[in-house]
Amino acid sequence: MKRVQEIVQSMFRMLNSAIAGIYGLMMIFIVVCCIFFAHIRYWTLSYSENFLPAIVLLIFGGITICGIVTICKRADRECKIKPIIFWIVVPVMIFLMQIYFVWNYYVYTDWDVASVVGLADKIAHNESTDIYINYFSRYPNNLFLVFVFSKIMEIVHFLGGHAHEYFMLLCVQCAFNTCTGVLLAKIISKLFHNRVLTMVGYSIYFFLIGLSPWVSIPYSDSIALVFPILIMYIYVNREKFKCFSWFAIPFLSYIGYKIKPQTMIVAIAIMLITILNIKLSCIGRGYLKKVAALILGFLLALGISIAAVRSLNIQLDDEKAFGIKHFFMMGMNTQTMGVWAGDDVSYSDSFQTVEERDQADLQKAFERIENMGAVGFSKQMIRKTLTNYNDGTFFWGGEGAFYINVMERNTKISGFLRGLYYNRNYSSVGKYNTVWINFVQMIWLTCLGLGILGVCYKNQKERSVLMLSVIGLTIFELLFEARSRYLYAYVPLYILLAIYGVALLLNRAEKKK
């Protein structure tokens, strides 16, 4: 038995090392694509044309991170920031700042957001929902988000704030965004026991997520932002939460999945790493309790989601639903380079039943792969990699017509913020937009580069979970419909991996001293 366990543990160590190796090679491939292939034709090229060369941004990004580290070191040494200020006062100030900023620049947009918010508004006010039946019959995965939004609107309406129901959705997203920053800082503090690294990670979060305009778009990307980092926080503190952590992880994962399917990837990574590191000799009642907690958490989340969707009382045509095979087919479309395609939607919609649609979509996807050949498939993957990763704005302003109704605010801060964020048909207003997109692209590329160095940091289960999550997310986006926006909810995990790289560099610098 002892010999068997030694063999198993050796295999597990090899698999953990393999995860780090695959992650490292994958991230090198991504960064190389962003540096050397950003000039080729890919779907979001027109949104990236104003970026400075990637190598220039990486150089300036390295200097910026060094500056942030220096400032954080000095602040830690001289200011002696009290915990109550760092963990409570600063997040509250960021939250209030976000609300004020959003109030001064938010817009009403179209695409899927209009359908989700529109149906939620109809349900909250007991109005007819017939005009949305066709959309949600096709995309029923958005119904749980409709339930969440409708309840927020109902509460605001009940409290007499009917005119501000939409804006309150944005306030909830600001709260989630702020909580994400706190959870990220807590995880860094727990993993590294280093105040400087905690402040560096929090600073990167502030620039890349805290100031991101995506908080002003009420949709699954901003609502789901808190889920991967919250799941990761519970996992990092699993010894503290004990059995509750194994209940909370599947519960939050499934609720997050109903909002944004990619959320489930971090939970799958946790389960795989847990299985890979299990000790056969320790299997007993403790593990049975964990399994029971896992099942209970999943079943409770399943029950809540089913009850929530049924409470909407929407009569959908189940045979019109688009499944995952449809998005796989779009991901293999060389004409649109793996992004949303209207022709593919029409093709899938031409079939009368789900079974016929899934079969036809899958057949079409494999036909496209066969027609591409090895070289064509490689080109498709490079183009999709650039679409997914070569955009630190996460495709801000790129969906639909986007700027359907712009809110006018007669304040100086409104003019400045609109100057930073507005683009496309409002490019004359967005006179500082080029500065902003280059700044966030610089921070994003530097995070990706630092994440590669994390491979050389000492092995931790938490590091393996983060790496496996990023591997899973990247594969998911390469196979299915591509969008840099789909990475947004996982940005905190990329920041965590970047902090491993910063920690490695700081440790090496200290040893040289």
Side-chain angles (χ1 to χ4, degrees), residues 46-77:
S46 61
Y47 292 89
S48 309
E49 286 178 335
N50 290 324
F51 290 158
L52 291 170
I55 192 67
V56 174
L57 292 175
L58 280 168
I59 291 170
F60 280 107
I63 295 170
T64 301
I65 295 299
C66 287
I68 291 173
V69 170
T70 302
I71 293 170
C72 291
K73 279 185 174 181
R74 181 167 294 181
D76 181 56
R77 185 173 59 250

Side-chain angles (χ1 to χ4, degrees), residues 1 85 152 193 205 241 279 292 320 330 341 370 417 461 503 510:
M1 181 66 181
I85 294 176
I152 294 171
H193 305 286
Y205 142 78
F241 294 124
K279 293 181 179 178
K320 286 188 175 182
M330 282 205 299
E370 186 177 351
L417 292 169
K461 292 178 184 178
E510 290 297 326

Side-chain angles (χ1 to χ4, degrees), residues 257-307:
Y257 167 79
K258 297 300 292 182
I259 295 173
K260 198 77 176 174
Q262 290 90 331
T263 304
M264 183 66 77
I265 294 172
V266 66
I268 295 172
I270 288 172
M271 296 307 152
L272 288 174
I273 295 300
T274 301
I275 293 170
L276 287 178
N277 289 276
I278 198 169
K279 293 181 179 178
L280 299 178
S281 60
C282 296
I283 295 177
R285 293 180 62 184
Y287 278 99
L288 292 177
K289 287 181 180 179
K290 291 177 182 178
V291 172
L294 281 167
I295 295 171
L296 181 61
F298 173 77
L299 291 178
L300 182 60
L302 178 65
I304 289 173
S305 64
I306 292 173

Side-chain angles (χ1 to χ4, degrees), residues 100-117:
Y100 180 65
F101 281 10
V102 167
W103 174 258
N104 277 282
Y105 73 77
Y106 81 91
V107 301
Y108 288 92
T109 189
D110 57 341
W111 49 290
D112 301 75
V113 176
S115 297
V116 170
V117 175

